[in-house]
């Protein structure tokens, strides 16, 4: 893939080079590098990567990809899936994002460069593997996602410039700004998890904005110098490239959370002047009384976010330990109590809790304490709702989830769980839209496979087993080895009458997570007592070859 450029010396050959994160790809040379070191990539996988890069501005259909990668050959879709998985193993899960019913799209933001060489050869030298001095930056195409009909923003992870500051401090600032902006219904705010996929990467904010489908991007950094902390931030209109606002805040370390509050209010003023002054009063951050406790709770929260789909018992146990230590240090921290409730919810959901009753009691108490200390913490209401529903209190649980959505209409995690429970125990007519809104709010979310699973549950609840199976298969494609995806596939296949496929999926779930499968067979589901739960258990027991006590 070359183009010709002319200068005083005549024609020069320009080869294209794509950079994303620590990776770079030269299609003409059929080379891919990670941090300057050449990667071993199969020929078909490289062809697939090149095709996705060239077509990164749109979704590429499976048929088109197979025509490009296997020209003139008749191959099955499984061949494509094998190469997609090879790319995800080499570059991470976001390299090829599944788009339901349409195909795949390239995930990371890309910088496109031209490497100019007079003799038509790429004269890359040294470990850095960088191009010659004549790098020509080429314009990026428009994004696949259209802009929302309201002011839209993504808050990128603040860079930690070192000098003794832990990553938790920078991450906490990013999360709090995202949360506070999300409270305003007049804004469209990209979820924290999607924004954090760009952490640690040098990015072009315009490419990020196109990738996430937003107009505004906030980026910043934190650093410590002596006894002072500096927080810097800049707000960019990514469509025009205009810097709308920038500010620096210098505070004593002990007053860092005051700077955080001022920063959030300043962003709101610059980003959304249409928000009424009465709304502006809501953007206030609670200052933690004990910073050691806050740090422990932040570490627990990070573990829960990063390991939420893994079923990693060691990680969940550590998250629970950290949360308990945090509340023991500071019983007045709403954040710590909320994190403790979330840690216990994961223990119950994955059937790791030695005693479900004891875990539920501790988690319900923790969520109630968090709400008593901070009634505006939407996530505390979300967790309390999930716990209530697990305990079989459908009405109370749904009320808590709806309240959480009122407090923060942009939170994708709340949206997708509300979609599931509206479908199973609430207003089913709202469910599909809520679920699809969650995907749009956080298009690059590491928890996206979990979102797809819950949307599969929405369709299963409506007895639309074809759509339910489609979303369950997408979840499995994006997170291979997830037992819950196999369970969802099994019950939807059984609904479609495909008994053999249902049994195969059930066997896969048993191999991956026997404890989780047994708990589902025994009747432990996210929606106990609902028709969804009753039908899902009957179908799963049939797939597992376990006799049902009665028909449902």
């Amino acid at each position: 893939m070359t183009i010709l450029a002319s200068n005083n010396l005549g024609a020069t050959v320009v080869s294209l080079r794509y950079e994303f994160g620590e990776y770079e790809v030269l299609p003409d040379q059929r080379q891919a590098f990670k941090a300057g070191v050449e990667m071993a990539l199969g020929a078909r996988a490289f062809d697939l990567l090149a095709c996705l890069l060239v077509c990164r501005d749109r979704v590429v259909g499976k048929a088109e990809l197979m025509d490009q990668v296997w020209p003139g050959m008749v191959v099955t879709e499984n061949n494509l899936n094998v190469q997609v998985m090879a790319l995800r193993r080499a570059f991470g899960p976001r390299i090829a994002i599944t788009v339901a019913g349409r195909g795949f799209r390239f995930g990371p933001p890309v910088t496109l460069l031209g490497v100019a060489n007079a003799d038509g050869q790429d004269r890359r030298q040294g470990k850095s593997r960088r191009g010659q001095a004549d790098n020509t930056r080429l314009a990026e195409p428009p994004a696949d996602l259209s802009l929302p009909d309201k002011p839209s923003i993504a808050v990128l992870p603040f860079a930690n410039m070192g000098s003794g500051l832990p990553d938790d401090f920078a991450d906490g600032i990013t999360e709090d700004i995202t949360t506070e902006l999300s409270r305003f219904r007049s804004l469209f705010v990209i979820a924290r998890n999607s924004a954090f996929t760009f952490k640690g990467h040098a990015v072009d904010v315009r490419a990020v904005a196109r990738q996430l489908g937003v107009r505004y991007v906030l980026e910043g950094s934190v650093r410590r110098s002596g006894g002072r902390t500096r927080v810097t931030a800049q707000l960019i209109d990514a469509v025009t490239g205009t810097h709308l606002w920038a500010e620096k805040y210098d505070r004593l370390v002990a007053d860092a959370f005051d700077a955080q509050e001022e920063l959030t209010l300043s962003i709101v003023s610059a980003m959304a002047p249409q928000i009424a002054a009465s709304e502006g009063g809501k953007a206030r951050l609670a200052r933690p009384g004990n910073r050691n406790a806050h740090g422990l709770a932040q570490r627990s929260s990070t573990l829960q976010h990063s390991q939420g789909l893994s079923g990693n018992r060691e990680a969940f146990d550590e998250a629970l330990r950290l949360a308990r230590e945090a509340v023991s240090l500071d019983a007045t921290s709403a954040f710590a109590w909320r994190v403790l409730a979330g840690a216990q919810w994961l223990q119950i959901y994955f059937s790791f809790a030695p005693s479900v009753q004891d875990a539920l009691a501790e988690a319900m108490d923790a969520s109630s304490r968090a709400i008593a200390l901070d009634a505006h913490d939407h996530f505390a209401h979300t967790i309390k709702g999930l716990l209530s529903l697990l305990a079989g209190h459908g009405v109370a649980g749904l009320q808590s989830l709806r309240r959480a959505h009122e407090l923060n209409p942009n939170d994708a995690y709340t949206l997708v769980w509300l979609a599931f429970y509206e479908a199973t125990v609430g207003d089913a007519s709202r469910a599909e839209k809520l679920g699809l809104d969650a995907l749009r709010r956080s298009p690059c979310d590491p928890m996206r496979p979990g979102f797809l699973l819950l949307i599969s549950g929405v369709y299963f609840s409506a007895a639309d087993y074809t759509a339910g199976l489609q979303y369950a298969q997408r979840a499995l494609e994006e997170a291979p080895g997830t037992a819950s995806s196999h369970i969802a596939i099994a019950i939807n296949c059984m609904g479609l009458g495909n008994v053999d496929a249902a049994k195969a999926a059930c066997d896969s779930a048993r191999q991956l997570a026997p404890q989780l499968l047994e708990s589902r067979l025994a009747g432990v589901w996210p929606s106990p007592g609902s028709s969804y739960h009753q039908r899902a258990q009957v179908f799963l027991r049939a797939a597992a070859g376990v006799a049902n006590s009665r028909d449902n």
Side-chain angles (χ1 to χ4, degrees):
M1 185 178 299
T2 59
I3 57 177
L4 289 179
S6 61
N7 55 25
N8 294 340
L9 301 178
T12 300
V13 177
V14 178
S15 300
L16 300 187
R17 186 175 88 229
Y18 300 89
E19 292 185 354
F20 48 99
E22 60 183 332
Y23 301 99
E24 53 183 314
V25 177
L26 284 84
D28 288 344
Q29 285 75 34
R30 298 187 65 79
Q31 291 176 300
F33 298 87
K34 179 179 181 180
V37 178
E38 188 166 4
M39 304 171 68
L41 206 60
R44 299 296 186 193
F46 189 92
D47 290 341
L48 176 60
L49 174 65
C51 186
L52 289 171
L53 275 167
V54 170
C55 303
R56 64 198 177 282
D57 60 321
R58 62 182 175 89
V59 177
V60 190
K62 293 182 179 180
E64 180 182 352
L65 287 171
M66 289 190 284
D67 287 343
Q68 293 291 327
V69 179
W70 292 273
M73 300 175 63
V74 178
V75 297
T76 66
E77 192 173 300
N78 185 60
N79 293 70
L80 176 61
N81 292 335
V82 168
Q83 300 307 324
V84 169
M85 292 311 304
L87 288 184
R88 288 172 176 168
R89 284 193 297 270
F91 296 94
R94 290 187 60 250
I95 195 72
I97 296 176
T98 305
V99 180
R102 297 174 62 190
F104 298 91
R105 66 177 176 85
F106 192 79
V110 177
T111 298
L112 179 58
L113 300 170
V115 183
N117 302 286
D119 59 0
Q121 301 296 316
D122 180 34
R123 304 179 182 278
R124 291 147 57 88
Q125 300 292 333
K127 271 190 165 184
S128 69
R129 298 286 186 184
R130 296 299 176 192
Q132 298 240 275
D134 245 350
N135 281 342
T136 305
R137 189 173 297 272
L138 304 176
E140 282 287 319
D144 186 56
L145 293 173
S146 58
L147 290 177
D149 59 358
K150 59 176 68 175
S152 51
I153 184 170
V155 182
L156 295 184
F158 274 43
N160 183 359
M161 307 306 288
S163 302
L165 279 173
D167 276 347
D168 290 343
F169 182 81
D171 291 352
I173 287 180
T174 310
E175 291 178 12
D176 284 342
I177 293 171
T178 302
T179 297
E180 294 307 313
L181 288 174
S182 295
R183 296 186 191 278
F184 300 102
R185 291 183 175 276
S186 54
L187 299 180
F188 181 99
V189 183
I190 288 294
R192 172 255 192 221
N193 280 5
S194 278
F196 266 73
T197 60
F198 299 98
K199 181 178 178 180
H201 300 297
V203 297
D204 179 341
V205 294
R206 289 175 294 181
V208 171
R210 287 192 294 271
Q211 180 69 29
L212 296 176
V214 296
R215 176 157 193 157
Y216 303 97
V217 174
L218 177 81
E219 61 179 0
S221 65
V222 298
R223 70 172 71 240
R224 177 177 290 175
S225 177
R228 304 184 71 83
T229 297
R230 168 169 287 188
V231 179
T232 65
Q234 58 180 351
L235 184 66
I236 300 167
D237 183 334
V239 174
T240 65
T242 305
H243 284 66
L244 300 176
W245 168 87
E247 191 58 87
K248 296 179 182 178
Y249 297 87
D250 282 308
R251 293 290 186 276
L252 294 173
V253 171
D255 294 329
F257 286 90
D258 285 335
Q260 196 169 323
E261 180 179 16
E262 290 181 28
L263 178 59
T264 300
L265 293 174
S266 296
I267 295 169
V268 170
S269 298
M271 171 65 199
Q274 75 279 14
I275 298 176
S278 60
E279 285 289 314
K282 296 178 182 176
R284 296 290 186 269
L285 302 176
R287 298 179 61 188
N290 184 306
R291 284 170 174 76
N292 290 332
H294 189 82
L296 290 167
Q298 185 65 56
R299 287 166 56 194
S300 175
S301 178
T302 299
L303 272 177
Q304 293 176 44
H305 278 296
S306 63
Q307 299 295 322
L309 279 177
S310 69
N312 184 333
R313 184 165 192 168
E314 290 184 359
F316 292 161
D317 287 347
E318 176 65 4
L320 181 59
R321 185 193 69 79
L322 289 167
R324 283 173 168 164
E325 187 176 349
V327 297
S328 71
L329 287 175
D330 185 3
T332 67
S333 170
F335 177 54
W337 284 113
R338 180 247 283 175
V339 168
L340 174 57
Q344 278 290 27
W345 183 81
L346 287 171
Q347 293 280 335
I348 299 165
Y349 182 84
F350 283 96
S351 300
F352 293 151
S355 167
V356 173
Q357 292 293 82
D358 290 347
L360 263 176
E362 182 180 19
M364 287 294 289
D365 177 67
S367 62
S368 296
R369 287 173 181 261
I371 292 170
L373 289 163
D374 183 0
H376 293 287
D377 183 349
H378 77 280
F379 200 71
H381 289 275
T382 297
I383 293 297
K384 186 171 184 178
L386 297 178
L387 291 164
S388 297
L389 285 152
L390 278 179
H393 307 310
V395 174
L398 197 54
Q399 286 177 343
S400 292
L401 283 176
R402 287 171 175 169
R403 176 58 178 155
H405 181 51
E406 289 174 3
L407 289 169
N408 187 340
N410 284 290
D411 185 73
Y413 188 82
T414 299
L415 272 168
V416 77
W417 274 110
L418 180 58
F420 177 78
Y421 281 116
E422 290 286 13
T424 55
V425 297
D427 181 359
S429 66
R430 302 181 61 205
E432 182 180 22
K433 182 180 185 304
L434 289 166
L436 297 179
D437 281 351
L439 291 177
R440 178 60 183 91
R441 286 295 194 278
S442 192
C444 303
D445 203 312
M447 292 294 290
R448 176 183 159 89
F451 292 5
L452 296 171
L453 269 180
L454 288 168
I455 296 171
S456 172
V458 168
Y459 288 112
F460 179 88
S461 182
D464 185 349
Y465 305 123
T466 299
L469 178 60
Q470 182 184 52
Y471 275 91
Q473 289 173 330
R474 288 174 59 193
L476 185 63
E477 288 176 6
E478 296 192 18
T482 305
S484 296
S485 297
H486 287 290
I487 291 173
I489 289 171
I491 62 176
N492 280 286
C493 282
M494 189 61 69
L496 291 168
N498 192 340
V499 178
D500 290 341
K503 288 182 176 178
C506 189
D507 289 341
S508 297
R510 179 176 282 109
Q511 293 174 6
L512 290 166
Q515 188 174 352
L516 178 63
L517 179 66
E518 290 305 316
S519 71
R520 295 290 184 262
L521 291 171
V524 180
W525 289 84
S527 188
S530 66
S531 61
Y532 164 92
H533 154 238
Q534 294 165 5
R535 185 162 19 108
Q537 187 178 11
V538 168
F539 285 6
L540 187 63
R541 288 173 70 86
V546 178
N548 287 294
S549 57
R550 62 184 179 87
D551 291 332
N552 287 277

